[in-house]
Amino acid sequence: MTIEWQWLSTHTDDLWALSLDHLSTAIPAVLLGLLIALPLAVVAHRIRPLRGVLLGLSNIMFTVPSLALFVILLPITGLTRTTAITGLTIYTLVVLLRNTVEGLDSVPAKVREASLAMGRGRVGTLLKVELPLALPVIMAGVRVASVMTISLVSVASYIGYGGIGQLFTDGFQRNFPTPVIAGVVLTLLLALAADALLVLVQWLCTPWIRKGARA
Amino acid sequence: MIDLLSQLAAWLTSSGQWAGPEGIAQRLLEHVQYSFLSTIVAALIALPIGLFIGHTGRGAFFAINISGFGRALPTVGVVTLVFLASGLSMTPVYVSLIALAIPVIVTNTYAGMIAIEADTKDAARGMGMTGLQSLWRVEIPLAAPLIMTGLRLAAVQVISTATIAAYVSFGGLGRYIFDGLAQRDLTQVLGGAVLVAGLAVTVDLILAGVNRVLFRHRLT
């Protein structure tokens, strides 16, 4: 199996466009997942009996094969990017929900009580004390979810929004390995870049951890 | 929606659907066969690696980061690539499923090994155990619950991904998803998805149960 470098050099524009297309499915999926997971996790954290139900439900959804999930969503959202994003969002929940609940669990009860005793309300305590302290664990979840989503987008090429996944279908149909290799490498690079970026975001968002480390 | 669900129920419960060489029973068997073999082979490769890294402490970076690499690796791409390289056989299916399972098992095995307190390992050495004896009689038993968790996670992921066997024209429950897609038969796709999810959840529960029975005595 040989790589035709020629093909790569004549298709850089396509590869770039597909990568952007890939990200425009992956990024909204993770953001939407976070938007859904945060309030659900707060509920699961506060109301014990709901925790098992929510985590169990997201675990079950995770076992549904991705291709089937996209197809099942088709009658509801049609052949649109929304279908791809919705399906991927459902998969992110398993990681985001679990990590956010664990992150909130990791905040010592004394810290929470101190904040309440100082007169910060429940909402204020949640937003200004609990969530920031839970951030490292939540961000670990966001990193895992992002990498996973970037790798999964390819499956959505069956409904026309697979981004880089198009290279796999293309190579498969033409019996031509070069685009497939390019697609695998590109997916890995995007995942690596996203992960590095999120590490940076976390570093910027948690100055108190950096100060703690230096002291 | 209600209509679809009743069609699904009819599809899943019709006896004709279950029997025969293309029936659900046979597809289920194939699916279990692909998944079981892949998970076992992956474990045979991944366990020694995870144990070695955990025991010696060499290659920790690899053990931690390989799970990220595994998550990032697009299974459709891998299966296509191996298919183009090796032609029509089960090889692409097994290679991609094994590649999916190895990182999970390595990382969890390693996590189980480094969670063991240094004092415990020192005590084993102090009692005159050799490195291998300590590994076999102290470290592996202590790491066993996390190793089992890794195997469980790997098995579930392999089961829900084994549908790709149908992508390269083989059997398993993925058949219903790909055939249903080609025939625009949503009931069949949904049926396939429900069966795969059902199988994955069942295996997950069974392995969780095994875990609980095996390690009951050390629940803290």
Side-chain angles (χ1 to χ4, degrees), chain B residues 148-171:
Chain B
M148 277 294 291
T149 302
L151 291 174
R152 194 178 137 200
L153 287 173
V156 169
Q157 273 186 39
V158 165
I159 288 171
S160 65
T161 314
T163 46
I164 49 152
Y167 179 64
V168 285
S169 80
F170 288 94

Side-chain angles (χ1 to χ4, degrees), chain A residues 168-188:
Chain A
F168 303 149
T169 328
D170 188 37
F172 187 65
Q173 283 163 353
R174 293 198 287 148
N175 197 10
F176 181 36
T178 305
V180 185
I181 298 170
V184 172
V185 173
L186 216 50
T187 311
L188 292 175

Side-chain angles (χ1 to χ4, degrees), chain A residues 1 60 62-65 67-68 71-72 75 144 147-148 151 154-155 158 168-169 171-172 175-177 180-181 184 187-188 191, chain B residues 68-69 71-74 76-78 80-81 83-85 156-157 160 163 167-168 177-178 181 186 189-190 193 196-197 200-201:
Chain A
M1 194 159 48
I60 291 176
F62 191 67
T63 62
V64 176
L67 176 61
V71 178
I72 293 163
V144 169
V147 168
M148 201 178 74
S151 148
S154 302
V155 181
Y158 288 91
F168 303 149
T169 328
F172 187 65
N175 197 10
F176 181 36
V180 185
I181 298 170
V184 172
T187 311
L188 292 175
Chain B
F69 174 78
R71 257 193 297 274
L73 204 61
V76 191
V78 175
T80 309
L81 199 58
F83 177 81
L84 293 181
V156 169
Q157 273 186 39
S160 65
T163 46
Y167 179 64
V168 285
I177 296 171
F178 283 91
L181 195 62
L186 191 61
V189 175
L190 196 58
V196 173
V201 171

